[in-house]
Amino acid sequence: MKILPLALAISAASLSTIYSPVVLANTQSVNQLVQFDINASSLRQGLAEFTRVTGIQLFVNDALLNEQQNAPLKGQFTAAQGLTYLLNQSNLYAEWKSPQDVVLKAKAPQNQRSQTTSKPSTTAPLDNIEVVQVNGSRMQQGLTSVARQTSYFSAADITNAMAANANLAQVIGKLVPGVSPASQTMTNFGLTLRGRNLLVLIDGVPMSTNRNVSRDLFNLDPSLIYSIEIVRGGNAIYGSGASGGVMYITTKTAKQSSTQTRAELSTSLTEISSDAATYKLGQSIADQRDKLSFAVDFDIASTGGYFDANGDRIAPEPSQGDLFDSTQFSLHGKVGYQFDKNAELFASVMWFDSSQDTEFASDPSVNSLPLHSVSAKPRKGLVLADQNSADNLMFNLHYVDNDLWSQQFSGQLYYRDYETRFYPFDGRPFASWNHLGQVYLNAQVLGFRSAFSLPISNHTVIYGLDGNFESTKMPITAYDPEVFDNSNGLEFVKLEDKTFMPETDTNNIAAFAQYKYHTDWGLNVDAGARFEHIRVSFDDFTTLGQGNSVDGGSKSYDGTMLNASVNYSLTDNVKTYIAFDQGYELPDIGLLLRYASSDFDIASSELEPVTSDNFEIGFNYQSDNVSVNGALFNSTSDRGRVKSSGFGLDLRRDKERISGIELDVNYYLTDTLSMMALVSKINGDEKPEGTDRWREMNGFRIAPLKATFATQYQFDNINLQAQLNYVDGHDYRLNGNTGFGRHQTDSYTTLDLFASIELDQSVVNIGIENATNREYYPLYSQLLRSNANTSHIPAKSAMVKLTYRYNW
């Protein structure tokens, strides 16, 4: 009998998806002592807890877990010892396939039971196991089991990667196939997944708003992360906005007593001074007493200035904002109560605040020179009270019951209050602005998610109901133009706040159902549907620039999105799949409202949803020491995003077609030495409204070929890694003509170095970003977001970061 995987989560719902280990392993040694605090419960729940603590993947036939219980596991043990004790009351034994992969099998005669404590080996073949990640995300509570290319990062992976990166956007831009290279600013604008939008969820709460401001990845401190799971490819299973894929971030919870103190210091290696230094301090406390658990995290950081490879200060980004000369505060608290072995309730609050306070502005004089001929230049003397900022407050209530009416249930209620502010813009030359002003966005979101999972033999039916109710507005702070002009564009004196985009309510109700069928001979079938009802409304308002009086109104959207996949094991080592998914998202309604004419009608055809049909075929090859994952994909939509040119004077919807290939390879040369390679290439074309010719999409939508190569050496308590990041050059011009996102770009290669050392009670991480101090311009800077040299911003110099974590 072939072994089928079970993604052991708190919800115990399965996820049949191909796992793509895009980060080289950085988990604990199987011989290292681990602190366990696992109560007696259902075996599904106990094993899920084991994977959380150790990071080891478990694989088992679903049917073998029925009615099984785990023995309690409390104290310090190695992973092998802990798993032995955990299975003590069951009829299963553990067969180690590698230090990080374990197959659970039914106990045979007594002579086989000794395998439970056998030493982990990297030479034993995998028994036709489809590899999946194990976590407690919403995706494992019933929203998908469609075959997908999936990238998974553990907390240790994130800590390691952050040693040579400034933010999460940079991490996934380097380590996830199909994701565009990140800018070095405070935005994920242009950071697409397979050429489309990426939906970011933190503990199931969407970070997107209907007025897309592209700051979804800058809403939490990375130290809070327990895991990140990225499902690549457009689908509507998770709701509106996942036309390119889904990034699910799970925050830490209290499953064992721990107290950790963190300290971090980083600086440019071309300008070693207090101006270039970044400091960070953090404290975590977690404990579990009987049925009650709690975790509290606090972090504070001060980010210094950025300097280029020549030691010159980098100019601020005038369009989307940046992170230097800023302060970040993060507070996170989570409380859990376990009613019995099947039911548990979590309540959490998360607050993250990032605010900039810099004396530097961008020098507009560089705009008089030919494009790309000069770098953006900073100038000192900025007087601006409210600068780039983001303030994210979230409340979350999550209930899980593995035996509710003989079904598995997950229910969630959440609230989010979010505000973010941008750098002022001189819009006086443009009729649709006619002001010197600074926009900011404020959004309040109330939502719920629910999912039931009913397993019956080889069949599973998953169904549920979701709701998301959002109120968003975008005012503008108008500044005194005379003071601004007299100060040569450096001083901002506030006049008043005005309406830029009116308060807009977006209410969403969705019902979904998913059916899964798996066989013992390698075939898995998955199909489902999601029905969305969305209503958007706004009151009367007057536009900012031209003073047009616009009548309020409302519009409703209904859509049914389908998905289906077939997953088949060709051999014990090769798995293949083919999948179809439909993506769905609202157009950026605020983009139209803020430039509306006096006769604007919300029923306008430009406001139809963005729908996409996504086809994918992929495979996974797994042998003793090699893992290969690959996929070919194609995505089409009859009406793409709303596009604005001429500051709202020209709005259109284009037909789109996107295709591409992704490949990642992991090769374990020895028990301690491994290598990794990731490559992705995407092509995208659009057919503008009113034309019959296809043309290439711009560089902010379709990234050039991207590749990452890494090698890792891990011995005892030392982990060393070197990583090459390559971005190809490409000519995005149309017939040699430049435009927004349409420039010829040059290729660049960077080197990042990582090292971590585990001591008795502490861990030291050292990373060097751009270790060769390469002088280059990131893709975002070459594409010129402001369409001027003020966005031609050089990359940061070699940056060194030292992180120390002490576990009390």
Side-chain angles (χ1 to χ4, degrees), residues 76 203 270 278 306 376 512 575 632:
Q76 286 193 338
D203 289 334
T270 61
T278 293
Y306 290 169
F512 65 90
K575 290 82 182 172
L632 295 170

Side-chain angles (χ1 to χ4, degrees), residues 338-448:
Q338 188 167 2
F339 296 96
D340 53 42
K341 63 182 181 181
N342 290 313
E344 192 165 11
L345 178 69
F346 293 95
S348 65
V349 58
M350 187 185 80
W351 173 63
F352 178 77
D353 178 85
S354 178
S355 56
Q356 188 177 55
D357 184 14
T358 184
E359 300 178 275
F360 292 89
S362 185
D363 189 342
S365 65
V366 297
N367 292 337
S368 62
L369 300 172
L371 294 179
H372 297 104
S373 65
V374 63
S375 300
K377 302 297 182 185
R379 55 176 181 157
K380 199 170 183 179
L382 176 66
V383 180
L384 176 63
D386 297 315
Q387 300 184 17
N388 290 298
S389 65
D391 190 304
N392 188 41
L393 177 65
M394 287 170 39
F395 297 93
N396 212 339
L397 197 64
H398 187 193
Y399 176 73
V400 176
D401 195 325
N402 290 325
D403 189 14
L404 181 63
W405 307 317
S406 300
Q407 300 178 78
Q408 299 156 2
F409 171 75
S410 172
Q412 179 183 12
L413 179 67
Y414 60 84
Y415 172 78
R416 182 184 182 218
D417 190 342
Y418 177 64
E419 182 171 299
T420 188
R421 185 177 288 269
F422 292 81
Y423 191 81
F425 173 70
D426 188 358
R428 289 174 292 175
F430 308 100
S432 55
W433 275 72
N434 199 29
H435 281 76
L436 171 67
Q438 178 187 40
V439 297
Y440 62 97
L441 177 136
N442 183 267
Q444 290 84 38
V445 182
L446 179 66
F448 68 88

Side-chain angles (χ1 to χ4, degrees), residues 370-612:
L371 294 179
H372 297 104
S373 65
V374 63
S375 300
K377 302 297 182 185
R379 55 176 181 157
K380 199 170 183 179
L382 176 66
V383 180
L384 176 63
D386 297 315
Q387 300 184 17
N388 290 298
S389 65
D391 190 304
N392 188 41
L393 177 65
M394 287 170 39
F395 297 93
N396 212 339
L397 197 64
H398 187 193
Y399 176 73
V400 176
D401 195 325
N402 290 325
D403 189 14
L404 181 63
W405 307 317
S406 300
Q407 300 178 78
Q408 299 156 2
F409 171 75
S410 172
Q412 179 183 12
L413 179 67
Y414 60 84
Y415 172 78
R416 182 184 182 218
D417 190 342
Y418 177 64
E419 182 171 299
T420 188
R421 185 177 288 269
F422 292 81
Y423 191 81
F425 173 70
D426 188 358
R428 289 174 292 175
F430 308 100
S432 55
W433 275 72
N434 199 29
H435 281 76
L436 171 67
Q438 178 187 40
V439 297
Y440 62 97
L441 177 136
N442 183 267
Q444 290 84 38
V445 182
L446 179 66
F448 68 88
R449 296 180 183 272
S450 62
F452 286 90
S453 178
L454 178 62
I456 306 173
S457 184
N458 290 349
H459 309 266
T460 303
V461 177
I462 303 166
Y463 60 95
L465 188 69
D466 296 341
N468 193 81
F469 310 98
E470 174 189 324
S471 179
T472 302
K473 59 183 178 181
M474 180 174 272
I476 186 170
T477 300
Y479 291 103
D480 189 324
E482 184 176 352
V483 173
F484 176 80
D485 291 338
N486 290 337
S487 66
N488 196 23
L490 289 173
E491 186 173 354
F492 295 86
V493 174
K494 180 178 178 179
L495 295 177
E496 60 180 326
D497 282 1
K498 295 186 176 183
T499 298
F500 190 40
M501 184 196 89
E503 186 168 342
T504 304
D505 295 328
T506 306
N507 298 327
N508 175 298
I509 293 289
F512 65 90
Q514 198 78 19
Y515 167 75
K516 302 186 297 179
Y517 172 69
H518 66 263
T519 68
D520 294 335
W521 43 275
L523 178 68
N524 297 274
V525 179
D526 203 315
R530 181 181 179 97
F531 172 77
E532 294 268 354
H533 173 75
I534 304 175
R535 184 178 185 273
V536 180
S537 62
F538 61 93
D539 293 330
D540 299 348
F541 74 101
T542 301
T543 60
L544 176 72
Q546 297 176 314
N548 297 325
S549 296
V550 181
D551 294 334
S554 64
K555 184 176 177 63
S556 295
Y557 306 85
D558 293 301
T560 300
M561 284 64 65
L562 306 176
N563 68 78
S565 70
V566 177
N567 193 343
Y568 181 66
S569 298
L570 293 175
T571 69
D572 287 351
N573 300 102
V574 180
K575 290 82 182 172
T576 61
Y577 70 87
I578 184 170
F580 167 76
D581 288 273
Q582 291 184 306
Y584 183 85
E585 63 182 272
L586 287 184
D588 193 337
I589 293 174
L591 196 62
L592 278 79
L593 292 182
R594 63 189 192 180
Y595 301 134
S597 62
S598 57
D599 59 351
F600 175 80
D601 179 7
I602 195 174
S604 169
S605 61
E606 286 86 357
L607 288 176
E608 293 305 312
V610 179
T611 58
S612 60

